[in-house]
Amino acid sequence: GAGVSQSPSNKVTEKGKDVELRCDPISGHTALYWYRQSLGQGLEFLIYFQGNSAPDKSGLPSDRFSAERTGGSVSTLTIQRTQQEDSAVYLCASSLLETQYFGPGTRLLVL
Amino acid sequence: AQSVTQLDSHVSVSEGTPVLLRCNYSSSYSPSLFWYVQHPNKGLQLLLKYTSAATLVKGINGFEAEFKKSETSFHLTKPSAHMSDAAEYFCVVSGNSGYSTLTFGKGTMLLVSP
């Protein structure tokens, strides 16, 4: 079956612009996670959704970052007023139980 | 809180020789542990997981890992490396929050030479 998909695969933007990153989880997976992978920082947890609720937003690095999930399925991560330090690969994962399955990521470059 | 330490940032082996990627963890409870692999410009793929059943866990592509509580280790091994094994490997521990936020190690890059 289909795995986790993310779009776009690559995004280049200018500093100060807003970006939206999309994640389509595996059908039926109730939990959805966003992570950021950057050089020197490794993989960092950003936010967790159970259904449409986000009980854990502790990893969001600033109030410029927000995420939502609709219909218990698709999620969008929004970064407002992007900064160069936001450049990273943003990974989405979904799970039904404990094991998380990852998408291919969105590579974001902020110029 | 939990943490993961991958002891080597890079490991180089020759094709056909054994692979050992080392991982130590710290956790205040009985953790679930995972190894994921990431090929260049690809997402993370689950290799194997330990969830308190058998201490020796077999995964995909001939990899296995042994959970040693006394040593707080979860090293990844493979008897014979293949060129296609060249990738970055992450040791991961699962949180104890009722949901499984993952804590990742820094990763080990495996280089395989012919």
Side-chain angles (χ1 to χ4, degrees):
Chain A
V4 178
S5 61
Q6 293 185 244
S7 61
S9 53
N10 292 279
K11 176 72 176 178
V12 181
T13 190
E14 294 178 349
K15 178 180 173 182
K17 301 282 190 183
D18 297 352
V19 295
E20 283 190 354
L21 312 179
R22 177 187 169 106
C23 172
D24 282 89
I26 293 171
S27 178
H29 280 193
T30 55
L32 186 148
Y33 305 78
W34 283 98
Y35 295 85
R36 178 169 70 175
Q37 185 176 25
S38 51
L39 287 174
Q41 297 295 323
L43 264 145
E44 307 168 89
F45 165 77
L46 297 179
I47 187 169
Y48 154 71
F49 286 93
Q50 182 62 42
N52 292 334
S53 300
D56 189 347
K57 306 178 182 180
S58 61
L60 293 177
S62 76
D63 59 7
R64 296 186 296 104
F65 287 72
S66 63
E68 65 175 12
R69 189 179 185 195
T70 55
S73 181
V74 172
S75 176
T76 303
L77 177 69
T78 301
I79 309 173
Q80 296 179 306
R81 305 181 303 282
T82 51
Q83 303 294 311
Q84 289 181 331
E85 61 262 28
D86 299 334
S87 297
V89 177
Y90 290 83
L91 292 166
C92 175
S94 71
S95 70
L96 183 59
L97 297 173
E98 186 173 36
T99 302
Q100 295 184 25
Y101 297 90
F102 284 80
T106 294
R107 189 175 300 274
L108 175 65
L109 178 61
V110 182
L111 301 176
Chain B
Q2 65 270 1
S3 65
V4 176
T5 302
Q6 291 184 245
L7 297 163
D8 305 293
S9 59
H10 292 80
V11 170
S12 295
V13 300
S14 299
E15 191 174 21
T17 64
V19 175
L20 170 63
L21 305 183
R22 298 182 295 165
C23 172
N24 287 103
Y25 70 93
S26 172
S27 178
S28 55
Y29 50 87
S30 296
S32 293
L33 293 159
F34 306 79
W35 278 96
Y36 283 86
V37 60
Q38 187 176 35
H39 287 91
N41 299 315
K42 300 287 187 184
L44 290 156
Q45 181 184 17
L46 178 68
L47 272 181
L48 51 81
K49 64 178 179 179
Y50 165 77
T51 54
S52 76
T55 56
L56 182 62
V57 182
K58 293 188 183 299
I60 62 171
N61 300 335
F63 284 94
E64 61 182 39
E66 186 172 7
F67 175 74
K68 292 187 176 181
K69 186 174 181 179
S70 60
E71 299 176 11
T72 61
S73 69
F74 190 57
H75 301 335
L76 182 70
T77 61
K78 183 173 180 177
S80 176
H82 192 273
M83 295 296 290
S84 61
D85 294 328
E88 190 160 23
Y89 292 79
F90 294 91
C91 183
V92 183
V93 62
S94 177
N96 188 34
S97 314
Y99 58 92
S100 49
T101 300
L102 301 179
T103 299
F104 285 79
K106 295 290 187 186
T108 298
M109 185 67 70
L110 177 64
L111 307 170
V112 183
S113 56

